[in-house]
Amino acid sequence: MSVLIKGGRIVTAADDYVGDIYVEDETITLIGADLDQPADKTIDATGKYVLPGAVDPHTHLDMPFGGTVTIDDVESGQTAAAFGGTTTHVDFIIQPQGATFAQALEEWRAKANGVQVIDMGYHMAVTDLNEGGTLEELATLPDEGITSYKLFMAYKGALMVDDETLFRTMEVAAETGALVMVHAENGDVIDVLVKQALEAGHTEPLYHALTRPPEAEGEATNRAIQLARLAGAPLYVVHVTCREAVEPIARARDKGWDVWGETCTQYFFNSLDDIAKPDFEGAKYVYSPPVRDKSNWDVLWNAVRTDILSAISTDHCAFLWDGQKTLGKDDFSKIPNGGPGLENRLQMIHEFGVRAGRISLNRMVELLATSPAKLFGLYPRKGTIAVGSDADIVIFDPEKRLTITAATQHSKSDYNLFEGTEVTGSPETVLLRGHVLVENGELVAQPGIGQFVERARFGEELRRGPAPAAA
Ligand code: URP
Ligand code: ZN
Ligand code: ZN
């Protein structure tokens, strides 16, 4: 199968030029001006942006959490991703208590086999190093392409680990070349604040945010940074929301330490005003760390612009408002934490980042594709447009106007965090390894086309097949 993409504005993290792309056998084999290679399919991209398929390093599909299971399984979540221009994601395996890592991996693979729409990798979330997986077993995961370990410093009584588990995992990562990821909030302190709020009769969604203050995120972020430094492990702080967490990351990076951070689309747009909405509507915005005061929006834009934060993910962890979020109707601590987002990341960051003049088009590509691909061992196979890279390509119409709404989304959730937002610019055609996934508003590929990608160790590159011949 060969594809010729003609006349588009090719934008990578580094370049911006008009050209043609030729794809053979799933990879990009030629980039140039006025290519006229015979092709099975030719796409006219005149007037469109031609972007690398976006990479989402933080998603939760088909995950048991908060007394229920996320509403998006692999097929629906990845379909939403494809429409949003994301062609690769890295999902979290959550080690069930008492299970070995091999058992956890088998369980998660079974959820994905045969239904994958896009390519994917896994992080391993370590919850138990006593009864289940061992440090020795953890050390073998990078050999299977699972090259990042995730630890939750919050969700006491569920996913939270103690500092010993955190530190021992960091020591393993330092040995094996894995990247350590942390959900950085002080779970012990939050647990006290939640109990106090409930004892005082505060049951509404707003108290989810009020019992998880920015200081709890800042403290845990700083603790993780110091422990990773001690262990000699590289650290990636997920879903950073506020100044209190941005500052320790900025300091660490300024010192040249191996520390990176991401934020997520929703933290630029949702705020305490949303979670305070009446009639339990605020529950739609219950995720952790929580929505913050709006003053943090500029802090985050500044952090992504200046590379204090290096990626924007979605933390897609979708639930129904009606039927799942309502588990916490009388007690905010029982509202499942998480929200949908896989479909709208590119549209939202293009509109309010690029079109609003906050970041350049190149920086958008870097934040949504190139940098996550580099940090998570997928580059240069993923995350860029180059000869030898997988032909994961988004043809993006910068003039397309639309209103984001749950009514037309592909996630199974019954709401959208950005409901009613008007944007100009949206993916038009999406290719995965040269196969057309989305065209004319339809999913045209069959589930099963997506593959599991074995990622390279931290700092190493991922290539496939023999190196392409010189042009
Ligand atoms: O509320 C959230 N973010 N749910 C997903 C799990 C996590 O903490 O990332
Ligand atoms: Zn988290
Ligand atoms: Zn998450």
Side-chain angles (χ1 to χ4, degrees):
M1 169 81 178
S2 55
V3 183
L4 184 59
I5 302 169
K6 297 280 294 176
R9 180 172 161 192
I10 300 169
V11 184
T12 68
D15 297 311
D16 187 341
Y17 56 96
V18 172
D20 302 343
I21 297 173
Y22 189 58
V23 175
E24 285 171 292
D25 298 333
E26 303 199 331
T27 61
I28 297 170
T29 54
L30 271 178
I31 302 174
D34 302 322
L35 299 182
D36 61 358
Q37 269 63 17
D40 299 318
K41 183 176 176 76
T42 300
I43 300 172
D44 179 9
T46 311
K48 310 285 159 61
Y49 299 161
V50 180
L51 311 174
V55 176
D56 192 336
H58 185 160
T59 61
H60 305 272
L61 301 182
D62 207 344
M63 183 179 87
F65 194 47
T68 182
V69 179
T70 58
I71 192 67
D72 278 323
D73 55 18
V74 172
E75 185 173 341
S76 65
Q78 292 191 348
T79 301
F83 278 92
T86 292
T87 50
T88 306
H89 71 124
V90 193
D91 204 65
F92 290 95
I93 298 176
I94 310 286
Q95 176 201 14
Q97 285 288 325
T100 65
F101 297 116
Q103 288 164 340
L105 175 57
E106 196 183 322
E107 193 181 315
W108 250 260
R109 280 237 169 115
K111 300 175 197 234
N113 279 340
V115 295
Q116 286 176 246
V117 177
I118 63 173
D119 285 355
M120 73 186 299
Y122 290 120
H123 313 287
M124 180 62 73
V126 177
T127 62
D128 170 21
L129 286 174
N130 298 314
E131 308 289 322
T134 60
L135 292 169
E136 291 72 29
E137 194 196 3
L138 190 60
T140 66
L141 293 178
D143 298 333
E144 301 190 53
I146 298 173
T147 54
S148 38
Y149 308 141
K150 164 82 177 285
L151 299 121
F152 290 90
M153 299 169 77
Y155 304 129
K156 190 168 180 181
L159 305 178
M160 178 172 149
V161 296
D162 57 16
D163 284 353
E164 178 179 349
T165 304
L166 176 61
F167 187 65
R168 285 191 185 279
T169 302
M170 287 172 165
E171 287 184 326
V172 174
E175 287 293 313
T176 63
L179 178 61
V180 175
M181 308 169 78
V182 284
H183 172 134
E185 287 186 290
N186 186 317
D188 283 320
V189 169
I190 288 167
D191 196 51
V192 172
L193 296 176
V194 168
K195 283 181 179 144
Q196 288 172 349
L198 289 172
E199 275 162 21
H202 300 304
T203 59
E204 318 87 89
L206 174 63
Y207 281 86
H208 172 77
L210 300 185
T211 55
R212 307 180 85 99
E215 291 83 353
E217 186 180 337
E219 184 281 327
T221 302
N222 186 52
R223 182 163 27 113
I225 289 171
Q226 300 297 338
L227 295 181
R229 175 81 180 151
L230 199 59
L235 180 73
Y236 179 91
V237 184
V238 302
H239 49 39
V240 172
T241 71
C242 57
R243 180 185 298 282
E244 286 76 356
V246 166
E247 284 176 351
I249 294 171
R251 271 197 305 275
R253 290 179 63 70
D254 197 43
K255 288 178 198 287
W257 295 2
D258 283 343
V259 173
W260 287 266
E262 68 166 27
T263 188
C264 313
T265 323
Q266 56 272 26
Y267 293 113
F268 296 108
F269 304 106
N270 296 157
S271 75
L272 292 170
D273 291 352
D274 292 303
I275 203 167
K277 284 181 181 164
D279 302 325
F280 201 61
E281 210 189 324
K284 295 176 179 174
Y285 307 91
V286 167
Y287 41 75
S288 297
V291 288
R292 299 292 184 198
D293 181 273
K294 283 180 185 165
S295 63
N296 287 289
W297 293 355
D298 278 347
V299 173
L300 295 178
W301 281 116
N302 191 46
V304 295
R305 187 178 55 78
T306 58
D307 205 36
I308 293 170
L309 298 180
S310 308
I312 303 173
S313 73
T314 64
D315 192 6
H316 184 95
C317 184
F319 297 102
L320 293 172
W321 178 70
D322 187 2
Q324 291 189 295
K325 291 283 182 179
T326 42
L327 290 170
K329 196 109 185 67
D330 303 317
D331 175 350
F332 70 87
S333 72
K334 296 197 168 60
I335 300 170
N337 286 203
L342 258 168
E343 196 158 346
N344 306 116
R345 181 176 57 143
L346 183 53
Q347 292 164 337
M348 290 293 286
I349 301 301
H350 175 257
E351 177 68 33
F352 297 99
V354 178
R355 277 174 46 87
R358 293 183 170 105
I359 55 172
S360 69
L361 206 45
N362 298 109
R363 181 64 181 156
M364 179 188 79
V365 170
E366 192 165 31
L367 288 162
L368 304 191
T370 318
S371 175
K374 286 184 176 171
L375 285 163
F376 291 99
L378 292 159
Y379 185 87
R381 229 185 105 176
K382 309 288 188 187
T384 193
I385 292 180
V387 171
S389 295
D390 282 2
D392 298 348
I393 295 171
V394 176
I395 296 163
F396 185 92
D397 181 353
E399 305 299 334
K400 169 96 177 164
R401 300 179 65 156
L402 59 94
T403 303
I404 293 174
T405 171
T408 54
Q409 74 188 9
H410 297 84
S411 163
K412 288 195 226 163
S413 182
D414 56 357
Y415 72 97
N416 188 297
L417 291 173
F418 316 116
E419 184 70 32
T421 305
E422 293 179 5
V423 296
T424 301
S426 193
E428 183 180 81
T429 305
V430 179
L431 288 87
L432 175 72
R433 287 178 275 101
H435 306 281
V436 179
L437 285 184
V438 174
E439 193 173 43
N440 300 323
E442 303 286 338
L443 184 73
V444 294
Q446 291 299 315
I449 194 159
Q451 293 177 352
F452 177 72
V453 184
E454 289 194 15
R455 297 182 290 119
R457 284 174 165 74
F458 181 71
E460 294 180 6
E461 293 199 336
L462 183 72
R463 296 180 188 274
R464 65 173 194 170

